[in-house]
Amino acid sequence: MTREEKSRVIEDLTAQLADNTTIYLADISGLNALNTSNLRRACFKANVKLAVVKNTLLAKAMESSDKDFGDLPSVLKGNTSIMFSETGNGPAKVIKEFRKKSDRPLLKGAFIEEAIFIGDDKLDTLVSIKSKEEVIGDIVGLLQSPAKNVISALKSGGGKIAGILKTLSEKEG
């Protein structure tokens, strides 16, 4: 690979790092051709982009990036694949599901919305991260609950002020 080609790859990787808030680093070495193909298919279905990268070029792209990757470059040893996703737990779910049939891929590390996770032992933590949509749904549910209590109190109190106040005070206690 010529110096110009390496520079182009670093520029492309730097742009991808800038465009994504969910970045996983994994080790897929040891997977045969069939399993690698199955992993790529699983990633595609989950809207996760998977690419094998050269550690030195990815390290330079991380250095050029505006993001602070902390200790994440320290995991750039051996075989490294990079996974990009719009959802924080997407790649973790793909890895966990795939590992039901195989001992790979191994999670090396992840960068999610500025949080850094290092090590395969963080996989379960990453799987349990909620997406923005799930968090918004939880918040809407929590906000609706008090409103439903008030409406319920209004209906059960017969519409009279004394009945409404009594019902509301019982619900608070």
Side-chain angles (χ1 to χ4, degrees):
M1 186 179 283
T2 67
R3 189 176 296 243
E4 291 80 25
E5 290 171 328
K6 287 180 182 178
S7 293
R8 210 170 311 118
V9 170
I10 292 169
E11 287 174 21
D12 290 346
L13 280 171
T14 304
Q16 288 179 314
L17 293 174
D19 292 344
N20 290 280
T21 57
T22 301
I23 303 160
Y24 279 63
L25 302 176
D27 178 357
I28 65 170
S29 65
L31 292 179
N32 63 26
L34 177 64
N35 284 339
T36 302
S37 177
N38 289 340
L39 177 62
R40 289 187 181 280
R41 191 172 300 110
C43 286
F44 180 78
K45 286 180 183 175
N47 202 22
V48 173
K49 184 178 176 196
L50 173 70
V52 177
V53 292
K54 263 186 102 89
N55 291 328
T56 53
L57 301 180
L58 181 55
K60 287 182 180 180
M62 287 177 159
E63 285 173 23
S64 315
S65 172
D66 293 336
K67 295 180 180 172
D68 179 9
F69 288 101
D71 290 336
L72 205 53
S74 70
V75 304
L76 297 176
K77 296 174 181 80
N79 182 298
T80 303
S81 295
I82 192 165
M83 303 169 91
F84 297 109
S85 176
E86 291 182 16
T87 57
N89 63 4
K93 287 181 176 180
V94 169
I95 291 170
K96 186 158 178 119
E97 183 63 29
F98 202 80
R99 292 226 316 238
K100 290 179 180 177
K101 302 174 199 139
S102 174
D103 64 341
R104 301 285 170 151
L106 294 176
L107 175 68
K108 292 175 135 189
F111 176 91
I112 302 168
E113 305 273 344
E114 299 179 8
I116 297 167
F117 302 85
I118 295 178
D120 194 60
D121 60 326
K122 302 290 189 280
L123 186 61
D124 288 332
T125 301
L126 292 168
V127 167
S128 66
I129 289 177
K130 291 188 176 192
S131 70
K132 287 179 186 174
E133 292 77 17
E134 290 170 323
V135 171
I136 290 169
D138 289 350
I139 291 169
V140 168
L142 289 170
L143 292 173
Q144 284 179 340
S145 182
K148 287 179 182 175
N149 288 342
V150 171
I151 292 169
S152 164
L154 290 172
K155 287 180 180 174
S156 68
K160 295 186 178 161
I161 298 286
I164 293 169
L165 290 175
K166 181 179 181 225
T167 305
L168 286 174
S169 66
E170 288 171 0
K171 292 219 182 250
E172 286 180 9

